[in-house]
């Protein structure tokens, strides 16, 4: 999960609007993304669009744009950190330190965190209420990832963060 600072436009506005409040980048192995795409194709017949993703072929990673719930009636995604590890049994316990938005505002946490992200995933396709889209129309589906919770084992310096709005 990428909580690093992002570039600011020369007029003082962030180049990535609402980053850390309504969305963040999450990194996953490209093999995992390929598997998700194959599941969608097998289950629905739809191909998955690359919109909202950034591929890093040097690290074999894909950055996905993950939405964050930020409405008052919706629970904000939880951020958990390792508190202790029992080396004899490989048991790990985590402690909740706040929401992703709260952790993003903490300057000591503005790093790339490695761990496990839990997402809800939905699919968007073009269509109207009177027209049911079919996978045979040649269109692609967009996957929407919404971050529910993060369990982090710490930070990593092995990934170059995205600091500006890449061409997508």
């Amino acid at each position: 999960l990428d909580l690093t600072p992002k570039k600011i436009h020369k007029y003082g506005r962030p180049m990535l609007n609402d980053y850390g409040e309504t969305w963040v980048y999450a990194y996953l192995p490209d093999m995992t993304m390929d598997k998700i795409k194959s599941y969608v194709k097998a289950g629905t017949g739809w191909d998955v669009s690359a919109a909202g993703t950034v591929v890093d072929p040097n690290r074999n990673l894909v950055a996905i744009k993950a939405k964050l719930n930020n409405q008052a009636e919706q629970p904000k995604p939880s951020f958990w950190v390792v508190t202790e590890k029992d080396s004899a049994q490989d048991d790990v316990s985590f402690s909740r330190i706040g929401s992703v938005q709260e952790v993003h505002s903490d300057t000591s946490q503005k790093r790339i965190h490695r761990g496990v992200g839990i997402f809800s995933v939905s699919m968007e396709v073009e269509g109207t209420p009177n027209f049911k889209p079919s996978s045979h129309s040649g269109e692609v589906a967009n996957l929407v990832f919404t971050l529910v919770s993060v369990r982090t084992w710490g930070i990593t310096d092995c990934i170059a963060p995205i600091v500006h709005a890449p061409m997508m």
Side-chain angles (χ1 to χ4, degrees):
L1 184 70
D2 186 351
L3 300 181
T4 60
K6 305 301 173 204
K7 278 193 171 182
I8 303 295
H9 191 272
K10 65 181 175 182
Y11 299 111
R13 295 186 318 260
M15 292 178 74
L16 299 173
N17 292 334
D18 297 325
Y19 192 83
E21 291 298 319
T22 62
W23 69 281
V24 292
Y25 279 120
Y27 299 91
L28 61 145
D30 59 358
M31 286 178 41
T32 302
M33 189 64 177
D34 290 343
K35 185 58 78 175
I36 292 169
K37 289 178 179 181
S38 73
Y39 286 152
V40 170
K41 180 71 172 174
T44 67
W46 287 84
D47 288 319
V48 174
S49 167
T53 63
V54 180
V55 178
D56 181 352
N58 296 320
R59 298 270 189 229
N60 296 322
L61 292 174
V62 176
I64 58 170
K65 187 174 181 178
K67 290 175 45 175
L68 301 174
N69 288 335
N70 65 337
Q71 304 298 323
E73 66 276 359
Q74 299 172 327
K76 292 185 177 179
S78 298
F79 196 93
W80 300 73
V81 296
V82 169
T83 53
E84 61 183 69
K85 181 179 177 182
D86 182 356
S87 60
Q89 297 181 1
D90 289 333
D91 287 337
V92 177
S93 63
F94 292 89
S95 177
R96 185 180 189 279
I97 62 170
S99 70
V100 171
Q101 291 92 331
E102 292 166 345
V103 172
H104 178 261
S105 65
D106 181 353
T107 56
S108 68
Q109 297 291 341
K110 290 190 179 264
R111 308 289 294 271
I112 295 180
H113 294 264
R114 60 184 174 83
V116 175
I118 301 166
F119 298 87
S120 68
V121 182
S122 58
M123 189 171 85
E124 294 179 343
V125 294
E126 288 190 27
T128 65
N130 300 327
F131 171 72
K132 182 178 177 185
S134 73
S135 60
H136 305 293
S137 63
E139 298 291 323
V140 294
N142 293 321
L143 294 182
V144 178
F145 293 86
T146 302
L147 186 61
V148 175
S149 184
V150 174
R151 306 290 193 273
T152 181
W153 287 283
I155 60 169
T156 181
D157 293 323
C158 297
I159 300 172
I162 298 170
V163 294
H164 60 88
M167 300 299 289
M168 291 191 223

